[in-house]
Amino acid sequence: MIQYRGIYKAFGMPVLAGIDLTVETGEMFALFGPSGTGKSVLLKTTLGLITPDRGDVEVDGMSVFHGRRDAVESVRRRAGYVFQYAALFDSLNVHDNVVMGLPERELARMSKQDIARRVWDAIEIVNLEPHEVLAKIPAELSGGMKKRVGIARAIIGRPEILLWDEPTTGLDPINTAAIERLIQRLSEELEVTSLLVTHDIEGGLEMCDRVGMLEGGLLRFEGTPEEFRSCPDPVVRAFIDRAAAEAALDMMSGTR
């Protein structure tokens, strides 16, 4: 479904130094790596939010950067993006934030009743009570509720692809576990292709079919969760051990 071909991107210094990666149709793929290794940059190239200096992304065989002129718009209609920290519009209530996830062409053809039903359904899918939250603004929501509203916005357009950018950042361990269960359930029930960028290694390993690790601008590892856990590469092992130690400290302090 998604193929990254020789993706190179520099911001002064190279962040991605030639990434080749394939995410299969219907697969859930997690991307790990230390902070600053370009995980979110790679994710954003999928929708043309960031343009690589070299290379290309193909979505279902369609070139995002070297294909037809409307390729980016076409890909965006087929994908939902869950931003880090939810990225809700502060001045809009929950209803209007979720509506922003509907493609403009589809929105123009829908009646107010159809829009209201789609928003209501999306809110219910992410385990929120519509009658309690639809009129609220983001400032009136907890961190976990904001994440769920951001997910509702991503799925309301009934996407074939879901892109998750650090969806559990800033959450406590209990809410992290709840959001990860929701991610796994949605990926299965909606039958989508999912690419998950996450700092939570254990959560990603439990949820995903395959995983990868970026390091030094390159794809250091790609394989199954079992292969990742047993990987003898010293760089991978050091990353796993460091992440485990940080997770233990987070659990002890009650923060994520």
Side-chain angles (χ1 to χ4, degrees):
M1 178 62 79
I2 310 171
Q3 288 189 305
Y4 302 91
R5 299 184 181 275
I7 300 295
Y8 180 95
K9 184 66 181 180
F11 298 98
M13 296 292 291
V15 176
L16 300 173
I19 301 297
D20 293 296
L21 174 66
T22 297
V23 180
E24 301 291 349
T25 301
E27 180 177 47
M28 190 167 188
F29 192 102
L31 195 60
F32 304 136
S35 297
T37 53
K39 302 184 298 297
S40 293
V41 173
L42 183 66
L43 197 69
K44 288 174 180 176
T45 64
T46 317
L47 302 182
L49 300 176
I50 289 179
T51 301
D53 300 326
R54 295 196 298 272
D56 194 15
V57 182
E58 291 185 4
V59 176
D60 201 15
M62 180 188 303
S63 170
V64 174
F65 298 103
H66 304 302
R68 68 193 203 206
R69 294 179 61 183
D70 65 342
V72 170
E73 183 60 33
S74 177
V75 170
R76 288 177 181 174
R77 287 197 298 268
R78 300 175 63 183
Y81 197 105
V82 180
F83 290 89
Q84 191 175 12
Y85 300 112
L88 302 179
F89 294 94
D90 294 338
S91 60
L92 300 181
N93 62 23
V94 168
H95 175 278
D96 292 345
N97 264 288
V98 175
V99 168
M100 296 293 290
L102 285 169
E104 289 185 9
R105 292 182 184 179
E106 186 175 355
L107 188 61
R109 297 193 300 266
M110 297 174 68
S111 67
K112 290 183 178 180
Q113 292 78 12
D114 289 338
I115 294 170
R117 171 49 57 188
R118 287 281 286 275
V119 172
W120 188 281
D121 290 345
I123 289 295
E124 284 191 325
I125 288 173
V126 298
N127 298 331
L128 289 175
E129 293 293 338
H131 64 278
E132 293 180 2
V133 303
L134 285 176
K136 291 185 176 181
I137 60 173
E140 299 174 303
L141 305 176
S142 68
M145 292 171 75
K146 290 178 183 177
K147 295 280 188 179
R148 291 173 187 271
V149 173
I151 295 170
R153 181 179 59 191
I155 67 172
I156 191 173
R158 298 170 180 170
E160 301 169 48
I161 299 167
L162 280 174
L163 304 174
W164 308 82
D165 190 0
E166 299 278 12
T168 60
T169 294
L171 297 181
D172 59 68
I174 293 175
N175 273 311
T176 292
I179 292 297
E180 287 175 345
R181 287 194 299 271
L182 177 61
I183 291 171
Q184 188 171 25
R185 178 173 66 80
L186 289 176
S187 294
E188 293 172 354
E189 291 182 359
L190 301 179
E191 298 181 341
V192 296
T193 301
S194 288
L195 178 56
L196 171 71
V197 166
T198 181
H199 65 280
D200 186 354
I201 291 180
E202 280 307 312
L205 291 173
E206 288 296 323
M207 288 188 287
C208 293
D209 304 299
R210 288 192 305 131
V211 302
M213 176 182 159
L214 291 183
E215 198 275 335
L218 298 171
L219 188 63
R220 186 86 187 196
F221 173 89
E222 179 183 356
T224 67
E226 293 75 19
E227 290 168 340
F228 185 76
R229 286 191 174 99
S230 60
C231 180
D233 184 330
V235 174
V236 175
R237 296 254 40 100
F239 175 72
I240 293 173
D241 293 342
R242 183 170 63 251
E246 291 173 353
L249 287 173
D250 285 344
M251 289 292 291
M252 292 173 62
S253 63
T255 62
R256 174 64 60 169

